[in-house]
Amino acid sequence: MTNLVQTVIGALSPDMIGKLSSVLGESSGSVSKGVSAAAPALLAAALQQSSTSSGATGLLSLISQATGGGNPLDRLPALLGDDTARAGLLSQGKTLSDSLLGANAGAATNGLASFAGVKAGAATQLLSLAAPLVLGAIGKALGGAPTASGVQSLLSDQRASILGALPPGLGALFGLGGATQGARAAAGSGGGGFGKILPWLIAAAVVLALIFGLRNCGAKKVEAPPPPVKTEVVPAPAPAPVAAAPETLTLPGGATITVLPTSIGYGVTKFLESNEAAPKTFVFDNLNYDTASNALTPESKPTIDTLVLILKAYPNVRGRVVGYTDNQGDPAANKTLSDARAATVKKELSAQGIAGERIETAGMGEADPIADNATEEGRAKNRRTELVIVRK
């Protein structure tokens, strides 16, 4: 039977690991260790998602996205050997990884970084690399006509090997049970020498107990009752949060998008198909810029692509893109930067066929914070880009 974990890990040769090490700025040993953890972590997320019919259907959609241009397992040397192809693979992989991990993405990234001894950014890249390979391995194992029930059956059969390869702690993250590797190894060694003599030891103990009982049966000794046994009630651990599964939405005209329920693509689509009146504001997720720059990161492309499909499906929609910063630095420079970032989003939409008159832009700088600028977490929330649907 196919071992999905080994299929993914085995696809990366030592030479490929060396190239990734150079790109990520991490040691080859750490990268190899990271890959060996990222593959079962993403497979565990897929296993969790496949527990429902809708989740298994969502997995089929992700497999289709990962293998649309050919199975990445079959093209891996070419994809990793070319800078442009590698960037495209990692960009697509980030979207696929986020879809698989859902609300657990941050915790999985941190857990992987800690386990492999790499930076959080490198852990994100390793998950982005592993996601299309994991989905490619599932697709290859399912064959030419995959079904939702086939996905469920395959991943159920792989449960033991997936749990056995997971780093400590990640199984609980995905709400999956199973013994640790050490416990399974101990359980599997019951056929050793001690297991063979154990019945004889038990029989000897019974005989000794009978002899002792017969010698003392006539005694009148009254023994004090044993002290009460104190029991401690240990509360059960809270169940791990279940990651939201991506959903496939059909747009007017027949185009489809596969998005998380927490994403801007999902929110905008549901708003446009509802009777709720405009205007309404949405905060972009997975839309990031290089530090102190208006250049979008490659990982932001899927968010733009999804919004393009939505705007093309709803040609009467008019929107406004608004950029914001935190309060660090010069206010005038922050205002200029927020203007430029909003303009970049409009430029990317226009490049894919969205008429310029449909999108307004504005830069608000550090105005209108939505969180406390005194904390790093608050400042991160304030550095945002919003989309206002002005007209439906």
Side-chain angles (χ1 to χ4, degrees):
M1 182 177 66
T2 299
N3 185 311
L4 294 177
V5 175
Q6 291 304 319
T7 297
V8 175
I9 295 174
L12 290 161
S13 66
D15 182 58
M16 295 179 193
I17 293 291
K19 289 180 180 178
L20 287 171
S21 170
S22 177
V23 170
L24 298 178
E26 303 284 357
S27 70
S28 295
S30 295
V31 170
S32 180
K33 190 175 182 181
V35 170
S36 71
L42 290 164
L43 282 166
L47 174 60
Q48 180 194 44
Q49 189 170 316
S50 70
S51 61
T52 65
S53 296
S54 60
T57 301
L59 278 176
L60 285 179
S61 177
L62 294 179
I63 292 168
S64 177
Q65 292 179 46
T67 60
N71 197 307
L73 288 172
D74 300 329
R75 303 183 296 124
L76 197 50
L79 291 172
L80 294 181
D82 179 80
D83 290 346
T84 301
R86 183 175 61 248
L89 175 69
L90 293 176
S91 176
Q92 181 196 44
K94 178 65 166 61
T95 301
L96 296 173
S97 173
D98 286 347
S99 296
L100 282 170
L101 296 171
N104 290 323
T109 300
N110 293 335
L112 177 62
S114 175
F115 174 76
V118 299
K119 298 184 289 292
T124 298
Q125 296 282 67
L126 289 174
L127 287 167
S128 299
L129 168 70
L133 303 185
V134 162
L135 292 165
I138 296 173
K140 189 179 285 284
L142 290 172
T147 62
S149 60
V151 171
Q152 291 177 312
S153 177
L154 171 67
L155 291 175
S156 178
D157 290 343
Q158 297 281 316
R159 182 186 182 93
S161 62
I162 292 171
L163 294 182
L166 271 175
L170 285 187
L173 179 65
F174 299 107
L176 301 173
T180 63
Q181 293 183 24
R184 282 193 294 272
S189 64
F194 183 76
K196 294 179 180 178
I197 67 171
L198 182 59
W200 296 101
L201 292 176
I202 293 173
V206 171
V207 171
L208 288 173
L210 288 171
I211 294 171
F212 183 80
L214 290 171
R215 289 179 60 187
N216 292 280
C217 64
K220 302 294 185 178
K221 183 179 177 181
V222 177
E223 297 184 0
V229 179
K230 295 182 179 180
T231 59
E232 181 181 0
V233 178
V234 180
V242 178
E247 295 186 22
T248 299
L249 306 180
T250 302
L251 303 172
T256 61
I257 56 174
T258 300
V259 288
L260 289 169
T262 54
S263 68
I264 187 173
Y266 185 94
V268 170
T269 300
K270 290 298 183 181
F271 170 67
L272 293 178
E273 67 184 22
S274 73
N275 294 324
E276 187 178 349
K280 184 166 184 175
T281 300
F282 301 87
V283 178
F284 277 96
D285 62 305
N286 199 29
L287 187 79
N288 300 298
Y289 305 85
D290 291 336
T291 303
S293 167
N294 66 320
L296 287 168
T297 62
E299 293 81 8
S300 303
K301 187 176 185 300
T303 302
I304 296 293
D305 293 345
T306 296
L307 185 56
V308 167
L309 290 174
I310 296 170
L311 292 174
K312 286 182 177 180
Y314 292 92
N316 294 325
V317 167
R318 297 292 184 272
R320 179 187 305 116
V321 179
V322 187
Y324 294 88
T325 67
D326 57 27
N327 68 346
Q328 304 297 293
D330 178 63
N334 286 340
K335 173 69 166 61
T336 300
L337 179 61
S338 64
D339 272 322
R341 287 180 167 177
T344 294
V345 174
K346 176 177 179 177
K347 179 181 176 182
E348 293 293 327
L349 295 175
S350 297
Q352 296 195 48
I354 304 303
E357 60 267 20
R358 295 180 61 189
I359 305 295
E360 308 168 10
T361 64
M364 303 301 294
E366 60 191 59
D368 300 329
I370 59 174
D372 187 358
N373 272 312
T375 67
E376 177 54 41
E377 181 181 4
R379 291 192 292 273
K381 290 181 178 179
N382 291 332
R383 297 190 295 268
R384 68 195 189 277
T385 305
E386 294 179 349
L387 173 67
V388 184
I389 300 298
V390 179
R391 191 183 82 189
K392 295 178 72 171

